[in-house]
Amino acid sequence: MAQSMTKRPMKGMLTGPVTILNWSFVRNDQPRSETCYQIALAIKDEVEDLERVGITVIHIDEAALREGLPLRKSEQASYLEWAVHSFRITNCSVEDTTQIHTHMCYSNFNDIIHSIINMDADVITIENSRSDEKLLLVFREGVKYGAGIGPGVYDIHSPKIPSTEEIAD
């Protein structure tokens, strides 16, 4: 409906499966990975519905992907494998012309940058207003990150509204 009212691209927004999992009270009679795959399949249906009605930019928010990383190093690779796989399930059937966006916030990405790359999103937006651009360094140095990056310049959790100059700076 909304896309039919404008010639400009509309962005469909959905919460990603890992974020839903990490911010929910999850059943404990099966592995978290299985629950996440089930959530991903439901989101995949929503992504397909958005694409079917003409939405060509779809944002699948994974704000809590890093948040769910196990503290035990021995469990981290497995978590990241199924987390990335879950994200990719959500958008595995989109046309090449559909742009997939994601978002992560308040994280140190150094230890998960290769998993972020493996998510294969076209654009990632990250919280950057509190980090003095330190969070962007991992995307510039040491790895080949070929997707678009949208650094956040406005902290939605702050009561301070930045000036145009502060945002441009």
Side-chain angles (χ1 to χ4, degrees):
M1 161 89 178
Q3 184 63 68
S4 68
M5 301 175 102
T6 182
K7 292 182 193 241
R8 302 186 105 185
M10 296 290 299
K11 182 196 273 190
M13 302 270 301
L14 300 166
T15 303
V18 179
T19 297
I20 289 173
L21 181 85
N22 285 334
W23 289 352
S24 298
F25 296 99
V26 182
R27 57 189 287 187
N28 61 5
D29 62 334
Q30 68 180 20
R32 289 173 59 83
S33 58
E34 290 302 315
T35 303
C36 201
Y37 294 150
Q38 291 170 353
I39 296 167
L41 288 170
I43 294 168
K44 178 179 177 279
D45 289 346
E46 296 295 322
V47 167
E48 290 169 352
D49 287 346
L50 287 170
E51 193 175 45
R52 195 172 9 266
V53 297
I55 303 297
T56 59
V57 179
I58 301 173
H59 179 110
I60 304 165
D61 198 56
E62 282 296 14
L65 187 132
R66 173 65 175 78
E67 184 178 305
L69 191 68
L71 295 176
R72 288 187 176 102
K73 295 268 187 209
S74 62
E75 298 172 6
Q76 291 179 356
S78 173
Y79 167 82
L80 289 168
E81 183 179 322
W82 61 256
V84 168
H85 185 66
S86 295
F87 179 84
R88 292 185 71 144
I89 286 170
T90 66
N91 62 85
C92 67
S93 62
V94 299
E95 298 292 327
D96 289 341
T97 55
T98 298
Q99 201 175 70
I100 299 298
H101 290 220
T102 194
H103 164 75
M104 293 181 190
C105 53
Y106 305 112
S107 293
N108 178 349
F109 302 115
N110 295 9
D111 52 351
I112 64 166
I113 187 64
H114 294 290
S115 296
I116 293 170
I117 292 167
N118 290 340
M119 289 171 70
D120 199 31
D122 297 303
V123 176
I124 183 173
T125 56
I126 61 169
E127 188 291 316
N128 191 58
S129 65
R130 293 185 184 187
S131 76
D132 241 2
E133 296 193 19
K134 289 182 185 125
L135 293 178
L136 287 176
L137 292 177
V138 71
F139 293 95
R140 293 183 188 148
E141 300 173 358
V143 297
K144 179 78 173 157
Y145 188 76
I149 303 170
V153 295
Y154 175 55
D155 183 359
I156 64 165
H157 299 291
S158 171
K160 181 182 182 292
I161 299 173
S163 67
T164 305
E165 293 78 26
E166 287 174 298
I167 291 174
D169 193 28

